[in-house]
Amino acid sequence: MTIPAVIDVDLIKRIIPHRYPFLLVDKVRDIEPFVAATGIKNVTFNEPHFQGHFPATPIMPGVTIIEAMAQTAAVMVGISMDMVDKNLLVYFMAIDSAKFRRKVVPGDVLEMRVTVTRGKPGGKVWKFRGEATVEGEMACECEFTAMMDLPK
């Protein structure tokens, strides 16, 4: 399979099962199979978490930033392993060393670079390093571990 230069939301939905309101990545680009990728999230005021976090000062919750990075990683692994239309499920196993450096607010474009620190083709357990930035400014960084539930 040839890996596209940019994976749009339609192809993302064929790789991972997430849907509104929990699909948190709009496109994935710069894919280096089994190595790294960059996810893009266009943050809009219409997202449901802004109703309560916080009504007068909407801020994207840190856990959703980390989830968006994890979805980016799942898309990268899924496309690398040719998992389009194969019902790949991905589960968090650990989140480590999370740091939040700036608020992410409506109107921001969140750019998430994820890099594999452990994992191999066909493997189930993967570790990643993620960095999320807005206009080049660090918003969040962390390490996370995920299990790829490969279809039988």
Side-chain angles (χ1 to χ4, degrees), residues 109-122:
V109 176
L110 191 63
E111 187 169 306
M112 302 158 291
R113 184 70 178 166
V114 295
T115 305
V116 174
T117 59
R118 190 181 93 206
K120 63 182 182 199

Side-chain angles (χ1 to χ4, degrees), residues 24 53-54 78 109 147:
L24 299 173
H53 197 270
F54 301 100
V109 176
M147 181 181 71

